[in-house]
Amino acid sequence: MPSFYFLNLTAISVGGEMLTLPPTIFSGPETMLDSGTAFSYLPPTAYSALRMMTNLHSTGRIFHFSESQACLPFVENEDDSEVVIIGNMQHLTFNVVYDVGNSQIGFGPNGCS
């Protein structure tokens, strides 16, 4: 899939707190960075750990519809072997630079707020 950007995902942290995950959770499926997909798709093991985080509301990636309804912009894959997708909702707080000629991608602070 030459038109997609893949990376080696090794861990996920939220507000500086690392998710407790088996070290091999991201070693099987590839991880695709996709600015055309809104939500991120995670293996069930990672998704469950993310949902259990207590500091999710401080990350700025929770969308509140009312006092009792909110949306976490992540989706649980069917199983741990499916491709992981990092969607554009997670790109918003970064400047993302695509160097197509050199097949590289870079991230920096101060993206959209």
Side-chain angles (χ1 to χ4, degrees):
M1 294 188 279
S3 63
F4 292 101
Y5 287 90
F6 290 90
L7 51 91
N8 294 324
L9 184 62
T10 58
I12 296 176
S13 68
V14 177
E17 183 181 341
M18 297 294 289
L19 262 65
T20 303
L21 297 170
T24 58
I25 191 64
F26 299 114
S27 64
E30 293 183 290
T31 299
M32 179 180 8
L33 190 66
D34 188 3
S35 62
T37 299
F39 287 12
S40 292
Y41 291 76
L42 297 175
T45 302
Y47 180 83
S48 294
L50 180 66
R51 287 193 60 192
M52 299 307 291
M53 298 283 299
T54 58
N55 65 349
L56 283 177
H57 294 281
S58 65
T59 69
R61 297 294 71 150
I62 301 287
F63 298 96
H64 295 276
F65 299 109
S66 70
E67 291 218 16
S68 63
Q69 290 183 325
C71 175
L72 178 66
F74 290 87
V75 177
E76 181 178 15
N77 281 346
E78 290 289 320
D79 62 54
D80 285 347
S81 67
E82 288 185 61
V83 171
V84 175
I85 298 174
I86 306 300
N88 65 36
M89 297 308 244
Q90 277 63 56
H91 306 182
L92 292 178
T93 57
F94 296 97
N95 281 319
V96 182
V97 179
Y98 295 91
D99 183 347
V100 178
N102 292 310
S103 299
Q104 295 182 348
I105 190 164
F107 300 89
N110 304 320
C112 301
S113 58

